[in-house]
Amino acid sequence: MSQAPTTTPDDVPFRYTAALAEQIELRWQDEWERRGTYFTPNPVGHLTDGDGRHADPSARPFYVMDMFPYPSGAGLHVGHPLGYIATDVVGRYRRMCGDNVLHALAFDAFGLPAEQYAVQTGQHPRTTTEANIAIMQRQLRRLGLAHDPRRSFATIDPGYVRWTQWIFLQVFGAWYDEDAVRPDGGHGRARPIAELVEELASGARPVPADVPGVPEGAAWADLDEATRRRVVDSRRLAYLSDTPVNWAPGLGTVLANEEVTADGRSERGNFPVFQRNLRQWNMRITAYADRLTDDLEHIDWPEKVKSMQRHWIGRSTGARVRFDVQGGAEVEVFTTRPDTLFGATFMVVSPEHPLLDQVPAAWPDGTHDVWTGGHASPTDAVAAYRAEAAAKTAVERQQDAGRKTGVFTGHLAVNPVNGALLPVFTADYVLMGYGTGAIMAVPGGDERDFAFAQAFELPVVHTIDAPEGTPEGARTGDGLVINSANDELDLDGLTVAEAKERVVAWLAERGAGEKTVTYRLRDWLFSRQRYWGEPFPIVYDEDDTPIALPESLLPVELPDVPDFSPRTYAPDDADSEPEPPLGRNEDWLHVELDLGDGPKRYRRDANTMPNWAGSCWYHLRYLDPQADDAVVDPALEEYWLGPGHGHQPAGSVGGVDLYVGGVEHAVLHLLYARFWHKVLFDLGHVRSAEPFHKLFNQGYIQAYAYTDDRGVHVPAAEVVEDAASPTGFSWQGEPAHREYGKIGKSLKNAVSPDEMYEAYGADTLRVYEMSMGPLDLSRPWETRAVVGAQRFLQRLWRNVVDERTGELVVSDDAPSTETLRLLHRTVADVRDDMEAMRINTAIAKLIVLNNHLTTLERAPRAAVEALVVMTAPVAPHLADELWQRLGHDRSVVHARFPEADPAYLVEETVTCVLQVAGKVRGRAEVSPTATEDELRGIALADAGVQRALDGRDVRVVVVRAPKLVNVVPA
């Protein structure tokens, strides 16, 4: 790495070097802290600015947020600060434009790495995590970020855990009423569970009959207390269920689908994952599927992220169709193409489908050998296939869909439109958790079904017409319907859309189906068999009924345990059982409490919440991290997040004004946070309908990495260019192979910001990272290129300070017209770039202005001060130092960002090209507002034009004001 000098020659003691930068930066960081420079005032309450004042009513609120970091033991590398610097620049710019800017940083502190370290070392995860937080706080402070330090917190803080548990209880204590009218006029919102009980008791709402043990038409008064509780619990937004989960024996915990890789292994640790049925907490996020989809239209997010969320939610409009099964229960399927029903030639059900709990004892007539999997009976075939499928995760089953495994179940289903008997197969690419766990297979219209039909000798019926000579196979495009008629229904000759409407109406008349909407989204699995997470604020009574703890008993804190690890097993032990660490602490697990009916013994939940819980609501906690009487003060939420606040349009849904983070959180964190926020919105705790109004995904900083001949990564810092090496690089005398990738520990190519602070200073690092390219694109790190950013700051320093004496060198003379024109053009352009987060091009324009000032004998104060103010967002320490040296008492943070004078943006003249017959014959400096007649006269009077005409008449003069005149001779 190229090192900047840390000392200066005796004759230039005031040169801006890394050593001087460090002195300036450390001094100003202390000064900012002493003055409370970055204290953001609330409109009410105890949080005021550094002078003890509440928010200025004339200042518009602007709330900027980063996706908060997990405190890693390795600290930061230079790739991490990219987004933090960007939000800092935006926040500083907006503050200098007169906004009241809220910007703070907290820590997402629950997580598996600290727990795994605790398992290895015995050190409590809190000790490890708090030490890691201290490291990151030091590194971030050294970067000069304008965070309000009073608003920082960690998700492990007892006060924060208390409110995370409180929100869980709000979800647990609510149900989703699909008919309730929302304030926006839509239908469907969460309501307190007490209102459901009241409606059931009064008879205003019928008792649902889909709960086990509840007879059809039962009255609430006829149910015993246990049955009533089952009815209520079945409707909660947070509920317990025995559901298929992803079980990782090697980790000792279950995982959400999103935490399982495409290879069917755990995202963390790369352990095998198996399907198991376990009693777990779930969040009914599916109740919000439509709102989570539709409300994407009301927020300013990248279209890529919106598309990812829409795909994950997976809303599909189609029909439910019911098939009778000979000797078995009715099977229902969901299809988006009911028009192809006449082309259904077989069915496929998930290995978990209840139809397979009873299968025929013998193969029916007509069974093909290829259907049986080599088994003597359907019972044997289905049992063997179910066991094979149980060893795979949902992700693996989807990945393996191309292999077309499956067996005939022995069941025959009746096609409702033509009476045909369809063999029913089971195959693991059909998932019980998606749709109904069963599909009707139309090999003439679906490529996957066609491949299955080819593999299992099943017939193909086409229901879409195709031109002569079309190859055999699935016809997936549009066309007119064929081969689709019975005595009562004729779809032939209709378009697909027409056929869909007609067949669904026909099915509905006969009770065989109806139009419906389905979703890919599944309810959120919310239990983890971990120690280092938020305990559930729930206890269980002698009947194993979950009971919410009162607010007075929150937070439920983690106990000290002798062993932080869940019980883990051999990674491939699919039959193992979860045993969380908390389950081994008897004193904590079993507790005597008086919850209103006298002291009783209860059992706590031994699971903990996933680490996503804390990140669902931290945008609310920044508003006042010390609040202990409400999850958020309504006045603060209205001011910082409310609809139409600040710069947001009057009809906005509200939310954080700018949220910056990586696109890798597009589905998990962002979808979960939106769900929690909407529950709080429905229950009246917030007025903003969305948590994040504008989202910006920054790119990554990448760097070269190197491997040895074994393919093992070696430290990039130790690799040298080596002409003698066949690869051009060597490490410890051996050839090194260069590759390109994301900076990080795994590739051993991390560069610490501490190295950059020492070699160049924090302001130089800030300027370099912001000038590397567009913020939303990934960019290559090149240490040697950092010196370019340093030179810009050194030139700016020299335009203000004499390197030999330290005295000011600016002139109090008025700037020249040329300087004023460049200055005001720079102001206008930098403002435009800052508004659009084009920080790299803004810096380029500051460099141009700075270079111009360098050419002058002495830079005029008016231009220098404007340049210093415009530079302050990207190089705040240097700007504050220069601002003070220029004679200002208050920090440059309080200076107003310059505004361009329109008079200097108008060009005095433009160059008009004069042509004869399309060839340039002269040029003239003209007014930008010159008329066509004026330009025509100037051209015809020009000596060069006259020479080219050589006495010829003029046929026409073409004028493109003000930059072109073309004289066409006769």
Side-chain angles (χ1 to χ4, degrees):
M1 180 179 67
S2 174
Q3 296 285 322
T6 58
T7 60
T8 58
D10 291 341
D11 60 334
V12 284
F14 293 94
R15 176 166 292 172
Y16 184 75
T17 62
L20 180 57
E22 181 180 40
Q23 294 173 21
I24 292 171
E25 289 162 2
L26 294 177
R27 184 172 70 254
W28 276 105
Q29 287 159 15
D30 290 342
E31 190 66 15
W32 293 333
E33 184 174 326
R34 185 186 67 80
R35 296 181 183 181
T37 299
Y38 302 125
F39 286 6
T40 298
N42 279 340
V44 295
H46 66 101
L47 291 175
T48 60
D49 67 12
D51 296 322
R53 300 170 302 190
H54 283 114
D56 181 348
S58 67
R60 291 189 292 187
F62 185 84
Y63 187 0
V64 56
M65 254 181 69
D66 305 273
M67 291 186 185
F68 67 171
Y70 176 79
S72 165
L76 301 176
H77 58 64
V78 292
H80 289 126
L82 181 66
Y84 305 148
I85 299 171
T87 53
D88 191 59
V89 171
V90 172
R92 288 174 177 277
Y93 168 72
R94 293 252 53 96
R95 185 180 284 110
M96 297 174 80
C97 289
D99 291 349
N100 184 24
V101 175
L102 173 54
H103 192 199
L105 195 72
F107 296 90
D108 191 9
F110 281 117
L112 197 54
E115 183 166 334
Q116 290 178 324
Y117 187 74
V119 170
Q120 296 164 8
T121 66
Q123 179 168 286
H124 197 287
R126 179 176 293 278
T127 302
T128 305
T129 302
E130 289 176 347
N132 293 346
I133 288 174
I135 292 171
M136 290 190 68
Q137 285 176 324
R138 176 189 60 79
Q139 290 181 311
L140 291 170
R141 185 182 191 271
R142 185 66 180 81
L143 198 57
L145 301 175
H147 296 148
D148 184 341
R150 305 167 303 170
R151 298 176 186 261
S152 187
F153 54 86
T155 54
I156 61 174
D157 295 344
Y160 193 87
V161 170
R162 173 196 172 194
W163 289 108
T164 302
Q165 293 171 340
W166 181 88
I167 295 173
F168 174 85
L169 291 179
Q170 298 304 301
V171 182
F172 175 73
W175 62 293
Y176 200 79
D177 184 351
E178 296 180 354
D179 300 318
V181 179
R182 299 194 302 272
D184 62 6
H187 286 77
R189 63 178 175 87
R191 296 175 59 193
I193 208 80
E195 295 179 7
L196 173 62
V197 174
E198 183 180 328
E199 291 183 6
L200 290 169
S202 68
R205 184 174 295 273
V207 175
D210 58 353
V211 179
V214 178
E216 185 81 36
W220 186 252
D222 298 334
L223 305 180
D224 60 28
E225 191 59 36
T227 305
R228 291 179 179 178
R229 182 59 195 265
R230 284 203 307 276
V231 170
V232 170
D233 286 353
S234 72
R235 295 302 188 261
R236 294 183 186 273
L237 287 178
Y239 63 95
L240 287 163
S241 70
D242 291 306
T243 54
V245 298
N246 300 309
W247 165 238
L251 287 175
T253 189
V254 300
L255 303 170
N257 284 343
E258 299 87 350
E259 297 171 306
V260 181
T261 69
D263 298 323
R265 304 179 76 85
S266 62
E267 189 176 52
R268 184 170 295 280
N270 197 36
F271 289 102
V273 178
F274 304 92
Q275 289 283 291
R276 291 291 307 277
N277 274 338
L278 293 175
R279 192 177 189 223
Q280 304 284 295
W281 282 106
N282 295 267
M283 291 273 185
R284 205 180 301 276
I285 191 173
T286 50
Y288 285 80
D290 282 328
R291 289 167 67 183
L292 290 170
T293 300
D294 295 341
D295 289 356
L296 290 170
E297 298 301 320
H298 305 307
I299 50 181
D300 184 6
W301 286 20
E303 189 54 42
K304 176 182 179 180
V305 176
K306 290 185 178 182
S307 296
M308 292 169 74
Q309 290 216 352
R310 290 190 191 102
H311 174 74
W312 192 260
I313 297 166
R315 181 168 63 189
S316 298
T317 301
R320 288 186 180 272
V321 184
R322 287 176 283 280
F323 292 74
D324 289 329
V325 177
Q326 291 186 345
E330 181 181 77
V331 174
E332 185 175 76
V333 304
F334 170 80
T335 176
T336 59
R337 293 294 303 271
D339 60 290
T340 64
L341 256 170
F342 285 92
T345 60
F346 62 100
M347 295 184 70
V348 185
V349 298
S350 162
E352 296 81 22
H353 199 285
L355 182 68
L356 304 191
D357 293 339
Q358 290 184 325
V359 295
W363 297 116
D365 292 342
T367 299
H368 295 216
D369 289 342
V370 72
W371 296 2
T372 68
H375 294 280
S377 70
T379 306
D380 293 342
V382 169
Y385 194 81
R386 281 181 130 177
E388 179 184 336
K392 298 179 182 179
T393 68
V395 178
E396 280 183 302
R397 285 163 60 167
Q398 290 292 287
Q399 291 291 113
D400 290 347
R403 295 195 301 117
K404 300 298 172 288
T405 66
V407 293
F408 177 39
T409 67
H411 286 297
L412 296 172
V414 180
N415 191 326
V417 296
N418 58 16
L421 294 179
L422 311 181
V424 181
F425 286 77
T426 183
D428 61 12
Y429 70 85
V430 178
L431 305 178
M432 195 65 209
Y434 293 91
T436 65
I439 65 168
M440 67 175 208
V442 183
D446 182 276
E447 292 176 354
R448 183 176 60 181
D449 293 346
F450 182 82
F452 196 97
Q454 294 292 99
F456 288 89
E457 302 174 359
L458 293 159
V460 177
V461 175
H462 291 288
T463 60
I464 297 294
D465 199 8
E468 197 72 33
T470 300
E472 277 301 307
R475 299 174 185 173
T476 57
D478 284 334
L480 297 181
V481 176
I482 59 172
N483 299 327
S484 300
N486 61 29
D487 293 342
E488 302 173 341
L489 175 68
D490 187 353
L491 307 180
D492 291 344
L494 299 180
T495 65
V496 168
E498 292 169 335
K500 284 182 179 180
E501 293 294 327
R502 189 168 297 182
V503 70
V504 170
W506 187 87
L507 290 167
E509 288 174 5
R510 287 152 185 79
E514 58 274 329
K515 188 174 183 180
T516 190
V517 179
T518 191
Y519 305 88
R520 182 177 180 269
L521 181 68
R522 299 296 93 193
D523 281 344
W524 177 12
L525 176 66
F526 204 68
S527 295
R528 296 293 183 274
Q529 289 67 49
R530 311 300 320 178
Y531 170 77
W532 194 227
E534 298 94 341
F536 285 96
I538 294 287
V539 292
Y540 300 86
D541 64 12
E542 65 275 8
D543 299 320
D544 210 27
T545 301
I547 299 171
L549 290 174
E551 289 184 37
S552 61
L553 294 183
L554 302 184
V556 178
E557 298 196 59
L558 289 167
D560 288 328
V561 295
D563 184 358
F564 299 108
S565 61
R567 183 180 177 188
T568 57
Y569 303 85
D572 57 354
D573 186 357
D575 297 324
S576 51
E577 290 286 341
E579 185 181 300
L582 293 178
R584 297 196 291 271
N585 190 311
E586 286 294 324
D587 292 340
W588 181 86
L589 190 66
H590 296 98
V591 61
E592 186 172 285
L593 299 170
D594 186 348
L595 300 182
D597 50 1
K600 291 175 60 176
R601 191 165 175 79
Y602 297 93
R603 174 178 56 84
R604 296 190 191 274
D605 198 308
N607 295 311
T608 53
M609 300 184 200
N611 64 301
W612 305 107
S615 61
C616 278
W617 71 280
Y618 73 114
H619 57 288
L620 299 176
R621 193 63 173 170
Y622 281 134
L623 307 191
D624 183 359
Q626 286 77 48
D628 60 4
D629 55 350
V631 68
V632 63
D633 184 322
L636 301 185
E637 194 269 338
E638 176 78 17
Y639 178 79
W640 291 112
L641 295 167
H645 79 275
H647 295 264
Q648 292 184 22
S652 78
V653 293
V656 172
D657 295 284
L658 176 63
Y659 193 30
V660 175
V663 73
E664 66 269 20
H665 298 293
V667 171
L668 292 178
H669 158 60
L670 290 172
L671 197 62
Y672 294 157
R674 294 181 65 213
F675 164 55
W676 271 33
H677 195 89
K678 287 182 181 297
V679 174
L680 293 174
F681 172 78
D682 287 352
L683 297 178
H685 300 297
V686 297
R687 285 200 64 242
S688 47
E690 286 280 341
F692 313 117
H693 173 72
K694 180 179 177 64
L695 175 71
F696 187 94
N697 295 130
Q698 89 274 12
Y700 298 107
I701 291 182
Q702 298 175 311
Y704 286 118
Y706 300 85
T707 59
D708 59 18
D709 286 338
R710 300 168 299 165
V712 176
H713 284 98
V714 300
E718 299 174 12
V719 174
V720 296
E721 293 187 18
D722 186 352
S725 169
T727 65
F729 304 93
S730 65
W731 176 70
Q732 296 185 353
E734 298 296 324
H737 305 268
R738 188 166 76 170
E739 61 184 47
Y740 199 53
K742 188 176 174 181
I743 289 181
K745 289 188 298 183
S746 62
L747 299 187
K748 295 186 178 180
N749 62 348
V751 179
S752 168
D754 293 340
E755 299 174 51
M756 294 295 101
Y757 300 153
E758 181 181 356
Y760 296 98
D763 277 342
T764 293
L765 175 62
R766 291 171 60 103
V767 171
Y768 174 64
E769 292 211 3
M770 289 298 96
S771 61
M772 292 169 74
L775 190 58
D776 57 342
L777 301 180
S778 293
R779 69 283 310 279
W781 175 267
E782 181 55 67
T783 299
R784 287 174 294 184
V786 180
V787 71
Q790 186 186 44
R791 286 175 182 149
F792 161 53
L793 298 182
Q794 287 175 329
R795 291 190 183 107
L796 175 57
W797 175 264
R798 287 196 298 269
N799 276 330
V800 182
V801 178
D802 187 298
E803 291 183 330
R804 291 175 173 79
T805 66
E807 296 177 352
L808 282 183
V809 294
V810 297
S811 165
D812 289 324
D813 295 340
S816 67
T817 301
E818 178 189 7
T819 297
L820 285 172
R821 289 191 180 282
L822 178 58
L823 170 62
H824 287 277
R825 171 49 56 197
T826 303
V827 170
D829 290 348
V830 168
R831 274 185 169 269
D832 288 344
D833 288 341
M834 285 293 194
E835 296 287 346
M837 292 183 69
R838 296 189 299 265
I839 303 172
N840 60 314
T841 56
I843 292 173
K845 286 153 189 169
L846 295 176
I847 291 173
V848 170
L849 175 59
N850 189 54
N851 289 345
H852 167 76
L853 298 180
T854 304
T855 66
L856 306 179
E857 183 176 348
R858 295 180 72 191
R861 173 182 288 271
V864 166
E865 291 198 347
L867 176 57
V868 168
V869 171
M870 289 189 287
T871 305
V874 290
H877 310 89
L878 177 64
D880 245 335
E881 179 71 14
L882 294 178
W883 194 244
Q884 184 184 65
R885 287 172 177 261
L886 286 164
H888 299 278
D889 295 330
R890 302 195 75 200
S891 168
V892 71
V893 169
H894 304 295
R896 293 306 291 259
F897 206 86
E899 296 189 35
D901 185 340
Y904 289 104
L905 300 180
V906 178
E907 296 181 39
E908 286 189 335
T909 61
V910 296
T911 301
C912 181
V913 176
L914 309 178
Q915 297 179 337
V916 175
K919 293 184 178 181
V920 178
R921 298 302 183 183
R923 289 179 173 82
E925 294 300 313
V926 302
S927 167
T929 59
T931 65
E932 288 191 11
D933 286 342
E934 291 172 338
L935 294 172
R936 187 179 294 109
I938 290 170
L940 293 175
D942 183 80
V945 170
Q946 288 298 323
R947 282 195 299 272
L949 285 173
D950 194 24
R952 290 176 292 176
D953 290 336
V954 175
R955 183 160 62 90
V956 66
V957 177
V958 179
V959 179
R960 298 287 183 265
K963 294 188 176 181
L964 176 69
V965 179
N966 184 28
V967 180
V968 181

